Amino acid sequence: MLIFHVLPVEILRMIVAHVPEGQDESPVVAIKSLSQTCTTWRQVVLSCKELFADIQLVQPQWTALCFGILNPLPVTVRCKNFDSEWDFSGSFKYLEASIYAFREHASRIRSVHMHLAAVKEGVVEPYLRSLSLSAAPVLEELTIFLNVLHALPLSPAIFKGIIPRKLRVLDLHAILLPQLSTLMRSASLTTIKLRSCFVWSSVDEMVK
């Protein structure tokens, strides 16, 4: 008999929870591999909510699975370019996942981290537009990191123009930010980092 068949489920969950740590690639790969080991491991993985609380937006199916397992808990979502040579077709599944997350589950997103500096020019704008699909009432942290050579405007209608009242941390890199953005009007803001950013007094001035 294999040893994990006699270990308590609680111990197995503790082991599984540490598997993605230190992964050089997306932790999604490690989690999927573990869940395909056998029926027992699959059941343990699906019952370990900690594995899914930090969602990598890699494809719509994976994103939907994570949100379903964690329902109705708040989550962190990340869009990170693991492959610096992304092309338009390779980026599409990531974009689909991003649109799905912000259209269907923005009300549960607590943190957003978009690291898109290595994504090719012309692919990033749709990701930023996806942030305007819905309000984000429980959002506490927003990080957007773009390539300094291709700074892009952030829509004044981000999160449907509704102030994220719980936003505490705003960390932007290479962003054109309207001065009257709702992001700046959150009463909970304690940390603001604007690196290689430009703040404009009006949207008209920003697009000149």
Side-chain angles (χ1 to χ4, degrees):
M1 178 180 290
L2 296 176
I3 188 170
F4 64 77
H5 284 150
V6 297
L7 287 175
V9 173
E10 293 76 13
I11 299 297
L12 291 176
R13 285 177 181 164
M14 291 174 64
I15 295 172
V16 168
H18 290 286
V19 168
E21 294 181 1
Q23 295 291 319
D24 293 331
E25 56 187 355
S26 168
V28 174
V29 175
I31 295 171
K32 283 187 174 180
S33 297
L34 192 60
S35 68
Q36 294 168 354
T37 302
C38 65
T39 301
T40 299
W41 277 116
R42 179 172 178 79
Q43 292 173 344
V44 172
V45 167
L46 293 178
S47 68
C48 189
K49 294 184 181 294
E50 302 96 305
L51 289 176
F52 303 92
D54 198 318
I55 302 175
Q56 301 283 353
L57 300 178
V58 294
Q59 60 183 16
Q61 295 86 348
W62 173 260
T63 304
L65 172 66
C66 293
F67 275 108
I69 290 174
L70 290 165
N71 187 42
L73 300 175
V75 300
T76 292
V77 297
R78 299 179 189 274
C79 189
K80 180 179 179 181
N81 42 282
F82 294 100
D83 182 359
S84 61
E85 296 301 321
W86 274 8
D87 56 19
F88 289 89
S89 59
S91 300
F92 187 70
K93 62 181 179 180
Y94 294 81
L95 177 57
E96 280 188 320
S98 179
I99 291 174
Y100 169 84
F102 293 111
R103 183 185 62 219
E104 304 293 336
H105 298 287
S107 62
R108 292 171 51 198
I109 296 177
R110 181 166 51 197
S111 300
V112 175
H113 302 275
M114 285 187 165
H115 293 267
L116 304 172
V119 178
K120 290 187 176 181
E121 185 181 6
V123 181
V124 178
E125 293 94 332
Y127 288 93
L128 298 184
R129 287 198 296 270
S130 71
L131 296 173
S132 300
L133 293 173
S134 299
V138 300
L139 184 70
E140 297 180 4
E141 184 175 356
L142 176 63
T143 299
I144 304 176
F145 194 97
L146 303 184
N147 190 321
V148 69
L149 298 177
H150 307 298
L152 292 171
L154 200 60
S155 170
I158 188 171
F159 304 123
K160 282 200 166 180
I162 300 174
I163 300 173
R165 302 285 182 182
K166 295 187 177 182
L167 185 64
R168 298 181 296 102
V169 178
L170 181 62
D171 188 354
L172 305 177
H173 184 273
I175 291 289
L176 307 179
L177 184 69
Q179 189 176 38
L180 299 179
S181 171
T182 53
L183 294 176
M184 296 296 200
R185 302 209 299 271
S186 173
S188 301
L189 271 175
T190 57
T191 302
I192 300 177
K193 296 180 181 179
L194 302 178
R195 293 167 290 177
S196 300
C197 291
F198 299 91
V199 179
W200 302 87
S201 59
S202 70
V203 177
D204 290 336
E205 183 180 322
M206 179 177 64
V207 298
K208 285 182 180 179

